[in-house]
Amino acid sequence: IDVVNDFGALSEKSEEIYINAILRKELPKLEEAAEGAAADVDNRQNDYDVFLTSLKELLCQSQIFVREVNHGERSVVSMRDIARAARVFKWFLTYYSKLRGVASIGVSDDKDGVMRLSISEDMKPYLRTAVILTLGYCYHSRLNRDQRWAYCTRLCDTWTTMMSENPLVEWLRLDEATAFAELLYETQHEFVSQMELGDGIALNEALRENLFMLLVSIMNQIPILLVGKPGCSKSLAMGV
């Protein structure tokens, strides 16, 4: 048919460029133009670039991994996943800090209300958690058990490679796959424990993960499909 064209797909290099552009647009840096603080501004600029480069690399490897486990199918992930990741990252950064009793971590510009990042040492633990939760929501949750372990291992290998090139990414601390899974579990439990489950309902792994995914999707107005075998708490999660 003359009107149907196959435009192919982005190469990995082109996709990396797009991912970098999306992240810089969605997660801009807070401009600090205070006089006499040029050195501090330079350090924060460097911290911002290190953070953004690290997040970009982790997202690129996540895209590649999901395609690999789906037999090389390019369309299984796209730039929509990157836009979604940037969206939920901002939500995690804001609401996880509130859950821990910390005032706003992300900084909103009074002119347009857009969240802008000012990277500091105090902020890095929250950035690390937001990064892991974002990867967990966007990629980890769609994989089976064997694939999840392999995915965590891939992220650890990616972090190790980044560390060898730039020691400033040490604060991400993705040196063990178990650490990634444990933080994901602990934070999911923190979010879900705020809900009233009712008498006789046990917070097992399936229910915890379903509730977490539904909560994040609803709060960010992101469509979600719960898929699984009978008895894995899909209807119960919706009811809660």
Side-chain angles (χ1 to χ4, degrees):
I1 302 175
D2 293 339
V3 296
V4 176
N5 296 285
D6 181 6
F7 292 100
L10 293 173
S11 65
E12 290 183 6
K13 187 63 178 177
S14 297
E15 188 170 77
E16 182 178 341
I17 295 172
Y18 274 98
I19 291 174
N20 183 64
I22 290 172
L23 293 179
R24 290 188 178 276
K25 177 178 181 294
E26 296 295 329
L27 303 172
K29 182 179 76 74
L30 178 68
E31 298 296 337
E32 298 175 289
E35 294 183 4
D40 185 57
V41 171
D42 289 342
N43 288 336
R44 288 181 180 246
Q45 173 67 47
N46 186 50
D47 286 341
Y48 172 79
D49 289 336
V50 168
F51 159 71
L52 216 65
T53 301
S54 302
L55 181 57
K56 177 200 70 177
E57 188 61 30
L58 291 172
L59 288 172
C60 286
Q61 290 300 317
S62 297
Q63 299 271 106
I64 292 171
F65 182 85
V66 173
R67 289 190 177 112
E68 287 176 357
V69 298
N70 285 275
H71 312 292
E73 175 57 51
R74 300 288 301 175
S75 61
V76 73
V77 286
S78 67
M79 291 300 99
R80 293 186 184 91
D81 294 273
I82 304 303
R84 186 183 303 115
R87 185 175 179 178
V88 298
F89 172 83
K90 291 186 284 187
W91 189 85
F92 282 130
L93 187 61
T94 300
Y95 286 94
Y96 179 73
S97 61
K98 288 183 178 179
L99 188 64
R100 287 298 182 91
V102 180
S104 178
I105 292 293
V107 181
S108 297
D109 193 314
D110 292 335
K111 296 179 181 179
D112 53 18
V114 174
M115 176 187 283
R116 287 176 165 80
L117 300 181
S118 178
I119 310 297
S120 64
E121 288 300 320
D122 292 338
M123 186 179 180
K124 286 179 179 178
Y126 300 98
L127 283 173
R128 176 179 181 266
T129 301
V131 167
I132 290 176
L133 291 177
T134 297
L135 297 173
Y137 174 84
C138 294
Y139 300 99
H140 184 269
S141 61
R142 68 172 72 182
L143 305 171
N144 63 37
R145 285 187 181 276
D146 293 336
Q147 292 169 349
R148 287 180 178 189
W149 181 257
Y151 175 63
C152 292
T153 303
R154 173 70 66 88
L155 293 179
C156 292
D157 292 342
T158 302
W159 177 80
T160 302
T161 301
M162 290 190 296
M163 268 288 293
S164 65
E165 297 173 354
N166 187 352
L168 292 177
V169 302
E170 189 274 337
W171 58 271
L172 269 173
R173 299 195 316 278
L174 295 175
D175 50 342
E176 295 182 1
T178 52
F180 180 96
E182 286 172 2
L183 179 59
L184 192 57
Y185 164 79
E186 291 171 2
T187 313
Q188 284 180 355
H189 195 276
E190 280 188 275
F191 272 100
V192 175
S193 63
Q194 307 298 314
M195 303 180 182
E196 295 182 5
L197 299 183
D199 297 334
I201 299 177
L203 186 59
N204 57 29
E205 180 183 0
L207 180 59
R208 184 194 74 243
E209 185 169 311
N210 288 342
L211 286 173
F212 176 76
M213 295 297 295
L214 285 171
L215 171 66
V216 177
S217 298
I218 291 170
M219 294 302 294
N220 289 278
Q221 300 181 343
I222 297 173
I224 182 172
L225 294 174
L226 288 182
V227 180
K229 297 178 180 179
C232 60
S233 304
K234 300 187 298 299
S235 299
L236 179 58
M238 292 296 296
V240 173

PDB file of all heavy atoms in Angstrom, residues 37-56:
ATOM      1  N   ALA A  37      29.462  33.421  44.598  1.00  0.00           N
ATOM      2  CA  ALA A  37      29.312  31.986  44.855  1.00  0.00           C
ATOM      3  C   ALA A  37      29.567  31.185  43.585  1.00  0.00           C
ATOM      4  O   ALA A  37      28.960  30.152  43.365  1.00  0.00           O
ATOM      5  CB  ALA A  37      27.921  31.701  45.402  1.00  0.00           C
ATOM      6  N   ALA A  38      30.476  31.653  42.758  1.00  0.00           N
ATOM      7  CA  ALA A  38      30.723  31.012  41.467  1.00  0.00           C
ATOM      8  C   ALA A  38      31.221  29.585  41.629  1.00  0.00           C
ATOM      9  O   ALA A  38      30.806  28.678  40.900  1.00  0.00           O
ATOM     10  CB  ALA A  38      31.733  31.832  40.657  1.00  0.00           C
ATOM     11  N   ALA A  39      32.112  29.367  42.600  1.00  0.00           N
ATOM     12  CA  ALA A  39      32.664  28.018  42.790  1.00  0.00           C
ATOM     13  C   ALA A  39      31.567  27.050  43.207  1.00  0.00           C
ATOM     14  O   ALA A  39      31.502  25.925  42.719  1.00  0.00           O
ATOM     15  CB  ALA A  39      33.772  28.050  43.841  1.00  0.00           C
ATOM     16  N   ASP A  40      30.684  27.492  44.121  1.00  0.00           N
ATOM     17  CA  ASP A  40      29.598  26.627  44.569  1.00  0.00           C
ATOM     18  C   ASP A  40      28.646  26.326  43.427  1.00  0.00           C
ATOM     19  O   ASP A  40      28.163  25.198  43.282  1.00  0.00           O
ATOM     20  CB  ASP A  40      28.843  27.302  45.715  1.00  0.00           C
ATOM     21  CG  ASP A  40      27.776  26.399  46.312  1.00  0.00           C
ATOM     22  OD1 ASP A  40      28.111  25.299  46.752  1.00  0.00           O
ATOM     23  OD2 ASP A  40      26.589  26.808  46.296  1.00  0.00           O
ATOM     24  N   VAL A  41      28.369  27.331  42.603  1.00  0.00           N
ATOM     25  CA  VAL A  41      27.495  27.127  41.443  1.00  0.00           C
ATOM     26  C   VAL A  41      28.110  26.120  40.486  1.00  0.00           C
ATOM     27  O   VAL A  41      27.429  25.234  39.960  1.00  0.00           O
ATOM     28  CB  VAL A  41      27.223  28.473  40.723  1.00  0.00           C
ATOM     29  CG1 VAL A  41      26.501  28.234  39.398  1.00  0.00           C
ATOM     30  CG2 VAL A  41      26.404  29.398  41.614  1.00  0.00           C
ATOM     31  N   ASP A  42      29.437  26.209  40.271  1.00  0.00           N
ATOM     32  CA  ASP A  42      30.114  25.268  39.380  1.00  0.00           C
ATOM     33  C   ASP A  42      30.022  23.846  39.919  1.00  0.00           C
ATOM     34  O   ASP A  42      29.812  22.890  39.164  1.00  0.00           O
ATOM     35  CB  ASP A  42      31.578  25.675  39.204  1.00  0.00           C
ATOM     36  CG  ASP A  42      31.733  26.936  38.364  1.00  0.00           C
ATOM     37  OD1 ASP A  42      30.765  27.275  37.645  1.00  0.00           O
ATOM     38  OD2 ASP A  42      32.791  27.574  38.445  1.00  0.00           O
ATOM     39  N   ASN A  43      30.201  23.702  41.245  1.00  0.00           N
ATOM     40  CA  ASN A  43      30.116  22.371  41.850  1.00  0.00           C
ATOM     41  C   ASN A  43      28.729  21.786  41.689  1.00  0.00           C
ATOM     42  O   ASN A  43      28.560  20.603  41.389  1.00  0.00           O
ATOM     43  CB  ASN A  43      30.482  22.443  43.334  1.00  0.00           C
ATOM     44  CG  ASN A  43      31.967  22.685  43.545  1.00  0.00           C
ATOM     45  OD1 ASN A  43      32.776  22.366  42.678  1.00  0.00           O
ATOM     46  ND2 ASN A  43      32.329  23.252  44.692  1.00  0.00           N
ATOM     47  N   ARG A  44      27.713  22.614  41.893  1.00  0.00           N
ATOM     48  CA  ARG A  44      26.337  22.125  41.770  1.00  0.00           C
ATOM     49  C   ARG A  44      26.001  21.797  40.322  1.00  0.00           C
ATOM     50  O   ARG A  44      25.253  20.871  40.051  1.00  0.00           O
ATOM     51  CB  ARG A  44      25.349  23.162  42.328  1.00  0.00           C
ATOM     52  CG  ARG A  44      25.420  23.251  43.850  1.00  0.00           C
ATOM     53  CD  ARG A  44      24.435  24.247  44.413  1.00  0.00           C
ATOM     54  NE  ARG A  44      24.561  24.274  45.864  1.00  0.00           N
ATOM     55  CZ  ARG A  44      23.629  23.886  46.708  1.00  0.00           C
ATOM     56  NH1 ARG A  44      22.507  23.387  46.249  1.00  0.00           N
ATOM     57  NH2 ARG A  44      23.802  23.963  48.006  1.00  0.00           N
ATOM     58  N   GLN A  45      26.562  22.580  39.392  1.00  0.00           N
ATOM     59  CA  GLN A  45      26.369  22.277  37.982  1.00  0.00           C
ATOM     60  C   GLN A  45      26.982  20.922  37.661  1.00  0.00           C
ATOM     61  O   GLN A  45      26.379  20.102  36.969  1.00  0.00           O
ATOM     62  CB  GLN A  45      27.009  23.373  37.118  1.00  0.00           C
ATOM     63  CG  GLN A  45      27.018  23.075  35.621  1.00  0.00           C
ATOM     64  CD  GLN A  45      25.620  23.051  35.031  1.00  0.00           C
ATOM     65  OE1 GLN A  45      24.830  23.951  35.284  1.00  0.00           O
ATOM     66  NE2 GLN A  45      25.306  22.029  34.254  1.00  0.00           N
ATOM     67  N   ASN A  46      28.183  20.686  38.197  1.00  0.00           N
ATOM     68  CA  ASN A  46      28.844  19.417  37.973  1.00  0.00           C
ATOM     69  C   ASN A  46      28.038  18.267  38.587  1.00  0.00           C
ATOM     70  O   ASN A  46      27.869  17.217  37.970  1.00  0.00           O
ATOM     71  CB  ASN A  46      30.250  19.448  38.566  1.00  0.00           C
ATOM     72  CG  ASN A  46      31.050  18.205  38.239  1.00  0.00           C
ATOM     73  OD1 ASN A  46      31.131  17.803  37.083  1.00  0.00           O
ATOM     74  ND2 ASN A  46      31.623  17.587  39.251  1.00  0.00           N
ATOM     75  N   ASP A  47      27.528  18.448  39.804  1.00  0.00           N
ATOM     76  CA  ASP A  47      26.704  17.429  40.453  1.00  0.00           C
ATOM     77  C   ASP A  47      25.446  17.161  39.638  1.00  0.00           C
ATOM     78  O   ASP A  47      25.008  16.012  39.513  1.00  0.00           O
ATOM     79  CB  ASP A  47      26.310  17.877  41.866  1.00  0.00           C
ATOM     80  CG  ASP A  47      27.472  17.797  42.840  1.00  0.00           C
ATOM     81  OD1 ASP A  47      28.448  17.089  42.535  1.00  0.00           O
ATOM     82  OD2 ASP A  47      27.398  18.445  43.901  1.00  0.00           O
ATOM     83  N   TYR A  48      24.858  18.211  39.110  1.00  0.00           N
ATOM     84  CA  TYR A  48      23.653  18.058  38.292  1.00  0.00           C
ATOM     85  C   TYR A  48      23.952  17.253  37.028  1.00  0.00           C
ATOM     86  O   TYR A  48      23.207  16.335  36.672  1.00  0.00           O
ATOM     87  CB  TYR A  48      23.095  19.438  37.918  1.00  0.00           C
ATOM     88  CG  TYR A  48      21.967  19.409  36.911  1.00  0.00           C
ATOM     89  CD1 TYR A  48      20.676  19.094  37.301  1.00  0.00           C
ATOM     90  CD2 TYR A  48      22.200  19.702  35.565  1.00  0.00           C
ATOM     91  CE1 TYR A  48      19.627  19.065  36.383  1.00  0.00           C
ATOM     92  CE2 TYR A  48      21.176  19.678  34.647  1.00  0.00           C
ATOM     93  CZ  TYR A  48      19.891  19.365  35.061  1.00  0.00           C
ATOM     94  OH  TYR A  48      18.871  19.332  34.135  1.00  0.00           O
ATOM     95  N   ASP A  49      25.049  17.572  36.370  1.00  0.00           N
ATOM     96  CA  ASP A  49      25.417  16.856  35.147  1.00  0.00           C
ATOM     97  C   ASP A  49      25.729  15.390  35.443  1.00  0.00           C
ATOM     98  O   ASP A  49      25.368  14.494  34.673  1.00  0.00           O
ATOM     99  CB  ASP A  49      26.636  17.524  34.483  1.00  0.00           C
ATOM    100  CG  ASP A  49      26.282  18.864  33.857  1.00  0.00           C
ATOM    101  OD1 ASP A  49      25.098  19.072  33.533  1.00  0.00           O
ATOM    102  OD2 ASP A  49      27.193  19.701  33.706  1.00  0.00           O
ATOM    103  N   VAL A  50      26.413  15.128  36.562  1.00  0.00           N
ATOM    104  CA  VAL A  50      26.727  13.751  36.950  1.00  0.00           C
ATOM    105  C   VAL A  50      25.435  12.980  37.200  1.00  0.00           C
ATOM    106  O   VAL A  50      25.279  11.837  36.748  1.00  0.00           O
ATOM    107  CB  VAL A  50      27.625  13.733  38.205  1.00  0.00           C
ATOM    108  CG1 VAL A  50      27.718  12.320  38.781  1.00  0.00           C
ATOM    109  CG2 VAL A  50      29.013  14.248  37.872  1.00  0.00           C
ATOM    110  N   PHE A  51      24.523  13.595  37.940  1.00  0.00           N
ATOM    111  CA  PHE A  51      23.243  12.932  38.225  1.00  0.00           C
ATOM    112  C   PHE A  51      22.475  12.633  36.946  1.00  0.00           C
ATOM    113  O   PHE A  51      21.984  11.518  36.741  1.00  0.00           O
ATOM    114  CB  PHE A  51      22.393  13.814  39.142  1.00  0.00           C
ATOM    115  CG  PHE A  51      20.934  13.480  39.090  1.00  0.00           C
ATOM    116  CD1 PHE A  51      20.452  12.295  39.638  1.00  0.00           C
ATOM    117  CD2 PHE A  51      20.032  14.337  38.466  1.00  0.00           C
ATOM    118  CE1 PHE A  51      19.097  11.977  39.567  1.00  0.00           C
ATOM    119  CE2 PHE A  51      18.692  14.024  38.398  1.00  0.00           C
ATOM    120  CZ  PHE A  51      18.216  12.840  38.950  1.00  0.00           C
ATOM    121  N   LEU A  52      22.351  13.638  36.065  1.00  0.00           N
ATOM    122  CA  LEU A  52      21.565  13.459  34.851  1.00  0.00           C
ATOM    123  C   LEU A  52      22.195  12.411  33.932  1.00  0.00           C
ATOM    124  O   LEU A  52      21.484  11.596  33.328  1.00  0.00           O
ATOM    125  CB  LEU A  52      21.411  14.793  34.115  1.00  0.00           C
ATOM    126  CG  LEU A  52      20.068  15.010  33.426  1.00  0.00           C
ATOM    127  CD1 LEU A  52      18.967  15.079  34.480  1.00  0.00           C
ATOM    128  CD2 LEU A  52      20.069  16.275  32.600  1.00  0.00           C
ATOM    129  N   THR A  53      23.523  12.419  33.843  1.00  0.00           N
ATOM    130  CA  THR A  53      24.210  11.423  33.020  1.00  0.00           C
ATOM    131  C   THR A  53      24.000  10.017  33.575  1.00  0.00           C
ATOM    132  O   THR A  53      23.786   9.065  32.823  1.00  0.00           O
ATOM    133  CB  THR A  53      25.714  11.747  32.946  1.00  0.00           C
ATOM    134  OG1 THR A  53      25.890  13.056  32.375  1.00  0.00           O
ATOM    135  CG2 THR A  53      26.440  10.727  32.079  1.00  0.00           C
ATOM    136  N   SER A  54      24.038   9.894  34.901  1.00  0.00           N
ATOM    137  CA  SER A  54      23.839   8.590  35.533  1.00  0.00           C
ATOM    138  C   SER A  54      22.432   8.069  35.279  1.00  0.00           C
ATOM    139  O   SER A  54      22.236   6.903  34.929  1.00  0.00           O
ATOM    140  CB  SER A  54      24.083   8.694  37.041  1.00  0.00           C
ATOM    141  OG  SER A  54      25.384   9.160  37.308  1.00  0.00           O
ATOM    142  N   LEU A  55      21.437   8.941  35.462  1.00  0.00           N
ATOM    143  CA  LEU A  55      20.047   8.547  35.230  1.00  0.00           C
ATOM    144  C   LEU A  55      19.828   8.174  33.770  1.00  0.00           C
ATOM    145  O   LEU A  55      19.158   7.178  33.464  1.00  0.00           O
ATOM    146  CB  LEU A  55      19.105   9.676  35.649  1.00  0.00           C
ATOM    147  CG  LEU A  55      17.606   9.401  35.475  1.00  0.00           C
ATOM    148  CD1 LEU A  55      17.164   8.161  36.231  1.00  0.00           C
ATOM    149  CD2 LEU A  55      16.792  10.626  35.934  1.00  0.00           C
ATOM    150  N   LYS A  56      20.427   8.934  32.872  1.00  0.00           N
ATOM    151  CA  LYS A  56      20.304   8.636  31.440  1.00  0.00           C
ATOM    152  C   LYS A  56      20.874   7.268  31.115  1.00  0.00           C
ATOM    153  O   LYS A  56      20.258   6.477  30.391  1.00  0.00           O
ATOM    154  CB  LYS A  56      21.040   9.714  30.626  1.00  0.00           C
ATOM    155  CG  LYS A  56      21.041   9.467  29.120  1.00  0.00           C
ATOM    156  CD  LYS A  56      22.145  10.234  28.430  1.00  0.00           C
ATOM    157  CE  LYS A  56      23.508   9.675  28.782  1.00  0.00           C
ATOM    158  NZ  LYS A  56      24.633  10.338  28.079  1.00  0.00           N
TER     159      LYS A  56
END
